[in-house]
């Protein structure tokens, strides 16, 4: 039974969001020896990892945006301009990001992609599907894939 002494609010509150994040982090750190060991190390914080490809005119031909954290590379975005698809640019971007991540001590990589995007591309590059979420968003399937690095 929920007590009537609680008041629920729904407004966006960045200060409370930050407080909640700190308290959740503290709770998780107390519960996990792995997270406790990360505290105070360079691996504790996300480190941005970006790889860009420019065309001969200097325009954006493609790019990969991600971050490294706790010995993992997380690929957030990988995009190649339609004019350059099929030429291996996506492979170059992904391979360079994995190389940089491994140099930072990462042992694994992860990515989320939708069924109409690139699950087969990642499979061809050694990624394995570990999660499938059908109808997210409605009519689309989301995949989470992982790969050991090194």
């Amino acid at each position: 039974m929920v007590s009537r002494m609680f008041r629920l609010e729904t407004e966006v509150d960045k200060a409370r969001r930050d407080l909640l994040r700190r308290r959740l982090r503290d709770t998780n750190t107390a519960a996990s020896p792995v997270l406790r060991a990360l505290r105070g190390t360079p691996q504790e914080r996300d480190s941005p990892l970006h790889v860009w490809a420019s065309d001969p005119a200097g325009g954006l031909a493609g790019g990969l945006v991600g971050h490294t954290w706790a010995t993992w590379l997380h690929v957030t975005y990988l995009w190649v301009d339609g004019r350059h698809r099929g030429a291996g640019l996506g492979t170059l971007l992904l391979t360079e990001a994995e190389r940089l991540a491994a140099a930072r001590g990462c042992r694994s990589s992860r990515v989320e992609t939708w069924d109409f995007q690139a699950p087969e591309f990642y499979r061809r590059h050694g990624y394995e599907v570990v999660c499938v979420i059908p109808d997210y968003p409605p009519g689309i399937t989301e995949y989470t894939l992982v790969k050991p690095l090194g």
Side-chain angles (χ1 to χ4, degrees):
M1 176 178 211
V2 176
S3 170
R4 293 176 190 242
M5 64 187 248
F6 297 106
R7 183 182 73 230
L8 298 180
E9 301 172 35
T10 60
E11 78 276 355
V12 173
D13 184 328
K14 291 180 182 178
R16 283 195 275 189
R17 178 205 61 200
D18 293 344
L19 175 61
L20 183 83
R21 183 183 301 143
R22 283 191 306 274
R23 288 185 178 175
L24 179 60
R25 179 178 165 226
D26 291 346
T27 300
N28 291 345
T29 300
S32 168
V34 173
L35 295 176
R36 221 175 6 262
L38 282 173
R39 291 295 286 265
T41 70
Q43 294 290 342
E44 179 182 21
R45 294 229 173 256
D46 291 355
S47 294
L49 191 150
H50 297 183
V51 182
W52 306 105
S54 300
D55 63 25
L60 182 63
L64 182 148
V65 172
H67 66 270
T68 57
W69 177 75
T71 73
W72 280 80
L73 164 63
H74 186 163
V75 176
T76 308
Y77 310 120
L78 192 161
W79 174 83
V80 173
D81 186 281
R83 296 171 294 170
H84 304 293
R85 291 188 185 147
L89 182 53
T91 296
L92 288 173
L93 292 165
L94 183 60
T95 301
E96 180 65 4
E98 291 172 348
R99 184 190 70 75
L100 292 168
R104 293 181 184 184
C106 290
R107 297 186 305 244
S108 303
S109 178
R110 67 173 283 174
V111 63
E112 293 87 24
T113 190
W114 287 324
D115 54 6
F116 65 88
Q117 289 178 320
E120 293 308 315
F121 168 82
Y122 291 107
R123 283 184 179 126
R124 285 193 308 272
H125 290 86
Y127 285 74
E128 177 183 333
V129 174
V130 295
C131 179
V132 177
I133 305 174
D135 219 28
Y136 181 76
I140 296 172
T141 299
E142 182 180 87
Y143 295 87
T144 301
L145 300 98
V146 298
K147 174 186 177 177
L149 299 178

